[in-house]
Each structure stands twice: as structure tokens, then as C-alpha cells.
Amino acid sequence: MEKQVNKLQNNFLKKLPSAAIVLLLLFFTLNVNAQVQKDTIKNISYQKGKEYILGGISVTGLKKFSEETVRVFTGLRIGQVIKLPGDKLTSAIKKLYESKQFSSVDVYLAKMDGNSVYLQFNVLELPQLSDVKLTGLKKGKTKDILKETELKKGVMVTDNLVVTTKNYIIKKYTDKGFLKTKVNLDLKADTTDINTVKMSIHVDKGRKIKIKDIFFKGNKALSDKKLRKAMSNTKEKFIGRFWKGSKYIEENYQTDLESILDKYSRLGYRDARILSDNISWNDDNTININIELEEGRQYRFSEILFVGNKEYTDEELSSLLKIQKGDIYNGAVLKERVQGDGSPNSQDISTLYQNNGFLFSTINAVETKVKNDSITVEIRIREDEKARIRKVTVSGNDKTNDHVIFRELRVKPGDLFSRSAIIRSIREIGQLGFFDQNVTPDVLPDYQNKTTDIDFTVTEKGGSQIELQGGYGGGSFIGTLGLSFNNFSIKDIFNKEAYKPLPMGDGQALSLRLQTSRTFSTYSFSFTEPWLGGKKPKSLSFSVYSSNQYQLNPQTFDVDRSRSLGIIGASVGLGQRLKWPDDYFQLSQTIAYQSFRLKNYGFRVGADVLSQGTLNNLSYSANISRNSAGPSLIFPTYGSEFSFGVKATFPYSLVNNKDYSNLDTEEKYKWLEYYKFNAKGKWYTSFTDKLVLMTNAEMGYLGFYNSELGYSPFERYFVGGDGIAAFQLDGREVVGLRGYENNRLSSIDGGTIYNKFQLELRYSISDAPSASIYTLGFLEAGNSYDNFKTYNPFELKRSAGLGVRIFMPAFGLLGIDFAHGFDPLPGQNVKSGWQTHFIIGRQF
């Protein structure tokens, strides 16, 4: 007969947390061994707390596992010192349970030989799953559930696995509106293998249950209609509802009950409560929701008192609070005006203090008196001392040099702490385009010294893009190779160790592009230094390009290289960040030159045709812009973008005393002349952190100096389509308007005036560094006009549609839009209809 050292109460212990199991094991071990000290069976006795040598371990009850495997699981070793009772024995039992291979573990003292003890473990193995069969669902749904529940061959079958699997399936379908879902789960022994079971699951999800009616009782201040509207996720069934389902989901329903109380609270009914709510079933397999309310009385603000404020007067704080005596009591708005609404542009009292150094301030709104229907509120302020920034650090930038980030930060050591400066710094880092938009600043305050450290953690993404594409068109293959390095370091260009694979990290932009076919070839190079000299935000950019196009016979597709049009161009630009009216403004100026060389090449300029000679285009442009959108370049959620630009050539015709009515075409256009005005504006309004409305308005005008010369044949506006500029020769501006064919809303020579209006609702699906994805729905309207005589700002071409955008660092922005044009193209009487647009490398 053996003396039992520890007999576990398995059915009870399996349901307890691991920590509780250890305590109970210790409890039973101590009690059993206390009894062992008093009794001796077959002369087996031991002393409590004495150290023994483990002489051996035997295991019984095994079916599949070997004794050696169980010994390994216990962590015990032959010859080691153990105590009876002791932590090592308790730990061994715990490890066997944690292996999730056994449903029962008992330990016995089998033998003693002098100072050596021999233990016997009696285990009960958990059965393994050999097969699972799921019925009642479609094949695709069956695969999904098996994958989600991880029911696969070889898994150990526990009571917990059975219960959680059943509950998971029921919840999955009740959340979809199948409230009467039933799941039957059976286990049968598999006679073909040792200690294995087969599982069969049958799912009867029944019919989807719809909400027929939502009834309210006890409401007087708010109508049933307004209360139903407050329930944004739980809706009644009616014909034609497609944008929001009428299924019942418990979690969403509870959220909507809270929304009802919030609705009352915002109207002054702070005591409103839900007395009861329940569901009743109808004969047509629908449900009704019954909600009984108690509204209570409506409260108003009485006195609003400020206590503890020294830095700001009551009047200054009241101007932010925007609540007057007699206003309807609104606890939610009071909290937002005192502590903020969580948005970067929140206007509240706490933000006012934190923007001016009061990091350690505390501000709370406290109801101090309730009399009848009036509530007196105290805004209690503890200002404390102002905090200064001790140290600013940046982490996570493995490629980008520190100075590139530090020069964009609006927080410096020694400055007063400012919440708005931190938010602005996050935005500026995001605008660089080198990092994931989720920049996380860690504020590490030191209350004793009234200082704080700030660490900006960034996640780098690719700063380079590759454009490699090919296609067939115009009777020949067209190949394109483009390389854009947006975080280049030109100072390391001769440093071999910096090539990983290219010298990077100084925030410079370098771009190379080659496009060639049988009929044309073009080469371009551009470079931008955003901080000229490294001390001030003044940028220098320049670009050069060259292209040649050869005459193509459209019937035979033969190319005549003796007939060509060559273009050489270059530009130099200077940009400067302004400090007035604020530092979101930037002024950029550019001088550009183009030379068009024609050699027996028919080229249309207005009503004339040029075949020989050289055309020159020397222009100056200035653009003033303001960009406060952020924090991401790809998916801005707040702020705006405005720009106003002027581009002009010298008015040669006004000073050279030539009669342009009698000049030949080559001489007339030897030096192009024109002036242009462009204005654009975008606003970003966020409803949530993922849902943003972008509003856009823009227009452009091309003018002339001399009526005898008229409008320039170059620099025109071409409206319609995807807005992507292909290989162009005449300096045209391509304006996208989806739902219509490319450039088809302008005349063949292009327009001299255009306007465009746009609403675009965007929803972010993913903001991961590897791929930022968002969907969009849009309304657009715009048009192109040949002159002021035909200009009519209300004669617009309209469209609407849906699309998706994917931004991958290595390839830029990719997307597709499906747009419906509601109006006909010029010269046609049938509406444009559905158009598909592919977007590559640009942002609408």
C-alpha cells in the first residue's frame, strides 16, 4: 500500500487561475504531509521540512506519452535535493498542468530508501482532436470558423475549448442579427487511434432578426423620433434602409442607451435615467425594443465662478468657456471647454494653461450648489509654477540625421512647456514624409525641479520611390524609369561607407527620370535643398530636362527622325518660410526657361502651324502659400492649404514696336508672352480620427498683354479626367475632373480660364508604415472656358463617385476611382456616364 503525498482535486482545480492552484496545492501538500508525519504505513515515514534526495520518478496512467516525457515536463531531476512538502514538488505539479496535456495529476510517495525518496505521478491525459466536422453553414463560412477557433488536428480537447468554441460561434452570429442561433457540439471517441476524439458541430443560425419598432415611455422633452436618431447603431426596420442595418447587437445597443442619456444631459436633463429596457418578440420573427425613461427636470447654469486663477482674469477664462448664466446646463460641453475635446485644435482652459508653461496645473469643474433648477459651478484652478523644457531627444531615426528632425521641432531646451508647440512639432515631422504619421512624444515631467524632458519617437519609412513601367502605344514600346530620393545626402556622395545603398539622411530631394520610345525620349534631373546653409528654412531647387520628339506617320507608324521637335529647359527656385502673418506661410519664386527647336516638324500654335525655328519661354513665377494641414501628408485630418500664384513673361510686344498683325508665325512666337493667376484652397474637417471631409476650390486665368498677339498658345488649362500630366510639350496645366475623359472638358487648344469645386469624404482603413490605405467618396464640379465672353461660373460639369488610395513608400500613391459624369462632353448631348480612372503618383 502506498502513502499518498498529494492527491489533487482535479475537477475543481482546472477551473481556478494558476496562482490559486499553486496555493491550494501547497495547502493540500502541507495537510497531507502533516498527517504522514503521524502515521507510518509499511514503515514509510519522513520528517516534515527535511531535505531528501530524489531517488526516482515513476509515472502511471499514460496512454500516448512516455514516462521520460512526463519527467521532463516536471522539471525534476534524479539526485536533486527536495523537501516534503516543498516548492519544487508544487512547481512540478503546476508545470504538468501548464503543459495543457493532462486533465488530472496525482502524486504519491512510493518508496523510501534511507535518505532517498521515490515519487509516483499518476496522470490522466487529455484527449486529442483527430477530426472536426461542422455542418449547417456554407463551405466558405465553415473554413473561416475553423480557422478562427483554431480547431485543428492534434489540439488537446478541454472543457474550456468546448465551451469557448460554442460561445464564439453563437456570438459571431448573434452579432450579425441571428439572435436565435443554436450550436450543438458533440464529442465521440475515435476508435482508430489511442486517446483521440472526433468533434461534430452543427450550427442552426435561423433567420436574421430585424428590429421592427423601438418604443419609448416616459419621454416628454424629447420626441420618439429624436431619441431614435440618438441611437446611431440600433435602428428600426423599414423599406429602403441600406446605409444602416436594423439588426440587434447587444454591445451596440448598450452604447446607444448611453447615447440617449448623453442627449438628455446635453439638454440640461442631467438626472435622466433609464428605468427599464427589454425585448419583445413579434409573430413575424421580428423584435420590438421597449425603453422606459425618467427625464427629471431641466437644469440651467447659475453662477460660474473661477477660483485660484492668477495668470488669467475671469473675463479671459470666460471668453474660452463661452457659457453664460441662464444657459441650459450641459455637462459634456462644460467638460470639453474646461479640459478639452481631445482634438489638436481644442480651445479650452486647460489647453490655454498648458500652452503657456503650466504643465503641472490642474483645472476641474465642480458643482457646488444645486437650487431648484439652477446649478452653481466653480472652476477650480491650481496653476503651480511654470515648467521649462530641460532636454529634447529623438529616437527611432536610424537613417535620418538628427539635425533634419531637430530643425523642424518647435520645442527647444530652455523654452516654456507648450502643448501646442508639441502638436506643431508632430505635424512638422509628419510633413517631412520620411516617417510614419504616428509620431509619439513622451513627456517626462520632473515635478520637484519644475522641468520636463520630451522624447519624440519616430518610425522611419522608405524615403525613396521607384517608377518602372512599360507599355505599347503609338506603334511603339514606351519605357519609363524614374528614381526619387526624398531623403538624400549630397555631402556623402563621395563617401563609400554612406552607400546603404545610397547616401541618405539629410532631407534633400533628388529625382532622375527617363522615358523613351521610337517616337520620343525625355530626360530630367531635379534637386532640392530644403534648408540652404542649414540654419534657416530657405530652400534652393533647380531642374534641367531635355526631350526630343520625332514625326510619326499615323498610317504606317514609320518614324522620320529628320523631322523633330527638341526641348531644353531649366529652372531655379528659391523658397522661404515666412513669420508673418504666421509661420505656416511660405513664399517661393522661380525663374524658368524653355527652348523649343523645330526641324521640319508640324507644330500647332493657335490657328497657325510652325515647322521651323525656335520658340523661347522665359518666365518668372511667385507663389505664396499657407499649409497648416496635418499631421500626415497622405491623410491629413485637420488644417487647410491655400496658395496664390502668379506666373508671367516679359511683355516684349509692348516695348519692341513691332506690328504683330503682319509678322509671320515664327517671328510672332519667337518669345512667348503671357501672365497667369492661380488660386487654390483645401480644408480638412475631421468627424473622427479616421473620417475626414476634404473641401477644395480652385481656379486659374491666363491673360495676354497685347490684343494683336492674343492668348499664348502655351500654358493653357486642360480640364477633365484623372488629372495626371503625361508627356506634354506646351507647358499646359492638367486639371482633373473625374467622370469625364482626360482633357475633354477643354477645347482642343486648351482653356484660358477654369474653376473647380470638390467635396471628398475620406475614411482611413490602415495607417501602417508599409501601406497607408483609405477609401473615398466624392462630388466634383468644374469647367474650362476659352475666354471671358464664354465664362459662366455656374455652367459646371458635375460628377460623383467612389475610390480607394494606397500609399506604399517604394511606389508612391496608387489608386482607382469609379466616377459618374452627369453632364455631356462639349459638342455632345449624351451624359458622360461611368468612367474609371487609375491614379499614379499624385494626390487629389
XYZ file of all heavy atoms in Angstrom, residues 441-470:
232
model
N 5.190 61.583 -28.911
C 6.080 62.296 -27.985
C 5.854 61.823 -26.547
O 4.718 61.689 -26.094
C 5.640 63.756 -28.158
C 4.200 63.672 -28.538
C 4.007 62.370 -29.274
N 6.928 61.546 -25.838
C 6.855 61.179 -24.431
C 7.274 62.380 -23.596
O 8.409 62.862 -23.705
C 7.770 59.991 -24.125
C 7.288 58.716 -24.795
O 6.064 58.524 -24.868
O 8.132 57.929 -25.254
N 6.345 62.870 -22.770
C 6.621 63.985 -21.873
C 6.982 63.402 -20.516
O 6.188 62.685 -19.898
C 5.409 64.920 -21.762
C 5.708 66.060 -20.795
C 5.044 65.472 -23.136
N 8.193 63.692 -20.047
C 8.713 63.118 -18.798
C 8.901 64.241 -17.792
O 9.979 64.863 -17.702
C 10.041 62.400 -19.068
C 9.998 61.364 -20.213
C 11.400 60.878 -20.536
C 9.101 60.200 -19.836
N 7.859 64.550 -17.012
C 7.929 65.711 -16.111
C 8.742 65.431 -14.849
O 8.771 64.311 -14.340
C 6.452 65.969 -15.774
C 5.795 64.638 -15.919
C 6.528 63.917 -16.999
N 9.398 66.466 -14.362
C 10.109 66.432 -13.084
C 9.445 67.479 -12.197
O 9.745 68.676 -12.266
C 11.587 66.759 -13.300
C 12.393 66.698 -12.002
O 11.780 66.618 -10.918
O 13.634 66.764 -12.079
N 8.527 67.015 -11.354
C 7.718 67.940 -10.558
C 8.580 68.736 -9.582
O 8.349 69.923 -9.346
C 6.627 67.176 -9.809
C 5.707 68.060 -9.010
C 4.642 68.723 -9.633
C 5.900 68.256 -7.654
C 3.804 69.552 -8.916
C 5.061 69.087 -6.920
C 4.010 69.731 -7.551
O 3.182 70.553 -6.842
N 9.588 68.080 -9.006
C 10.397 68.731 -7.986
C 11.160 69.923 -8.548
O 11.235 70.986 -7.930
C 11.365 67.728 -7.373
C 12.200 68.299 -6.228
C 13.067 67.233 -5.579
O 13.018 66.066 -5.959
N 13.872 67.631 -4.596
N 11.729 69.766 -9.749
C 12.517 70.837 -10.353
C 11.721 71.679 -11.343
O 12.268 72.598 -11.949
C 13.741 70.249 -11.050
C 14.678 69.562 -10.086
O 15.068 70.142 -9.074
N 15.031 68.311 -10.379
N 10.450 71.324 -11.542
C 9.561 72.061 -12.457
C 10.144 72.120 -13.875
O 10.197 73.159 -14.530
C 9.307 73.482 -11.930
C 8.547 73.498 -10.595
C 7.181 72.894 -10.738
C 6.357 73.005 -9.455
N 6.784 72.053 -8.402
N 10.620 70.965 -14.323
C 11.130 70.823 -15.690
C 10.519 69.581 -16.319
O 9.855 68.782 -15.649
C 12.665 70.702 -15.716
O 13.042 69.523 -14.989
C 13.326 71.930 -15.111
N 10.775 69.423 -17.587
C 10.312 68.216 -18.274
C 11.250 67.890 -19.418
O 11.849 68.794 -20.029
C 8.878 68.394 -18.814
O 8.434 67.167 -19.387
C 8.815 69.481 -19.873
N 11.404 66.613 -19.680
C 12.110 66.137 -20.868
C 11.075 65.684 -21.879
O 10.007 65.180 -21.507
C 13.039 64.971 -20.534
C 14.164 65.374 -19.594
O 14.424 66.592 -19.480
O 14.765 64.477 -18.977
N 11.392 65.840 -23.161
C 10.482 65.419 -24.227
C 11.257 64.558 -25.207
O 12.313 64.971 -25.714
C 9.860 66.623 -24.966
C 9.118 67.524 -23.975
C 8.918 66.149 -26.059
C 8.570 68.790 -24.593
N 10.744 63.371 -25.461
C 11.360 62.464 -26.427
C 10.357 62.169 -27.539
O 9.241 61.713 -27.269
C 11.787 61.158 -25.759
C 12.386 60.185 -26.762
O 13.481 60.468 -27.270
O 11.732 59.156 -27.036
N 10.744 62.433 -28.773
C 9.909 62.148 -29.932
C 10.338 60.806 -30.517
O 11.470 60.662 -30.981
C 10.033 63.241 -30.994
C 9.438 64.555 -30.586
C 10.193 65.503 -29.904
C 8.112 64.847 -30.867
C 9.650 66.703 -29.522
C 7.559 66.062 -30.490
C 8.320 66.997 -29.819
N 9.432 59.844 -30.483
C 9.712 58.520 -31.047
C 9.129 58.450 -32.449
O 7.924 58.657 -32.633
C 9.118 57.411 -30.171
O 9.651 57.515 -28.845
C 9.449 56.040 -30.739
N 9.975 58.162 -33.434
C 9.532 58.109 -34.827
C 9.770 56.714 -35.387
O 10.586 55.948 -34.874
C 10.277 59.158 -35.691
C 9.989 60.564 -35.203
C 11.783 58.895 -35.691
N 9.022 56.405 -36.418
C 9.202 55.143 -37.147
C 9.479 55.483 -38.602
O 8.625 56.056 -39.283
C 7.952 54.253 -37.046
O 7.669 53.994 -35.673
C 8.173 52.936 -37.768
N 10.665 55.173 -39.061
C 11.049 55.560 -40.419
C 10.367 54.685 -41.456
O 10.109 53.501 -41.237
C 12.562 55.474 -40.584
C 13.283 56.591 -39.858
C 14.719 56.759 -40.326
O 15.532 55.892 -40.022
O 15.010 57.777 -40.970
N 10.064 55.302 -42.590
C 9.586 54.565 -43.748
C 10.472 54.934 -44.924
O 11.298 55.851 -44.840
C 8.131 54.900 -44.039
C 7.844 56.360 -44.343
C 6.355 56.593 -44.529
C 6.061 58.059 -44.868
N 4.605 58.301 -45.023
N 10.308 54.230 -46.007
C 11.163 54.464 -47.165
C 11.086 55.890 -47.660
O 10.000 56.446 -47.825
N 12.236 56.500 -47.894
C 12.262 57.854 -48.415
C 12.496 57.918 -49.902
O 12.646 58.991 -50.466
N 12.510 56.769 -50.556
C 12.782 56.720 -51.992
C 11.644 56.024 -52.711
O 10.938 55.190 -52.136
C 14.091 55.974 -52.263
O 15.159 56.566 -51.565
N 11.469 56.371 -53.972
C 10.428 55.770 -54.791
C 11.013 55.371 -56.136
O 11.888 56.046 -56.672
C 9.255 56.738 -54.995
C 8.530 57.105 -53.711
C 7.425 58.099 -53.948
O 7.066 58.393 -55.078
N 6.876 58.629 -52.872
N 10.505 54.286 -56.663
C 10.959 53.765 -57.954
C 9.775 53.732 -58.909
O 8.706 53.220 -58.557
C 11.550 52.358 -57.807
C 12.745 52.369 -56.849
C 11.967 51.806 -59.165
C 13.276 50.998 -56.541
N 9.953 54.284 -60.073
C 8.933 54.209 -61.115
C 9.530 53.410 -62.271
O 10.476 53.836 -62.919
C 8.525 55.599 -61.585
C 7.460 55.568 -62.681
C 7.156 56.956 -63.230
O 7.796 57.924 -62.777
O 6.302 57.056 -64.117
N 8.988 52.246 -62.508
C 9.470 51.375 -63.571
C 8.254 50.813 -64.271
O 7.508 50.024 -63.710
C 10.335 50.245 -63.010
C 10.960 49.282 -64.020
C 11.897 50.028 -64.967
C 11.691 48.156 -63.316
N 8.019 51.248 -65.495
C 6.837 50.791 -66.204
C 7.112 50.755 -67.709
O 8.018 51.405 -68.213
C 5.638 51.686 -65.894
C 5.832 53.146 -66.222
C 4.624 53.987 -65.850
O 3.512 53.495 -65.803
N 4.838 55.268 -65.602
N 6.306 49.982 -68.361
C 6.412 49.867 -69.808
C 5.049 49.665 -70.421
O 4.117 49.191 -69.768
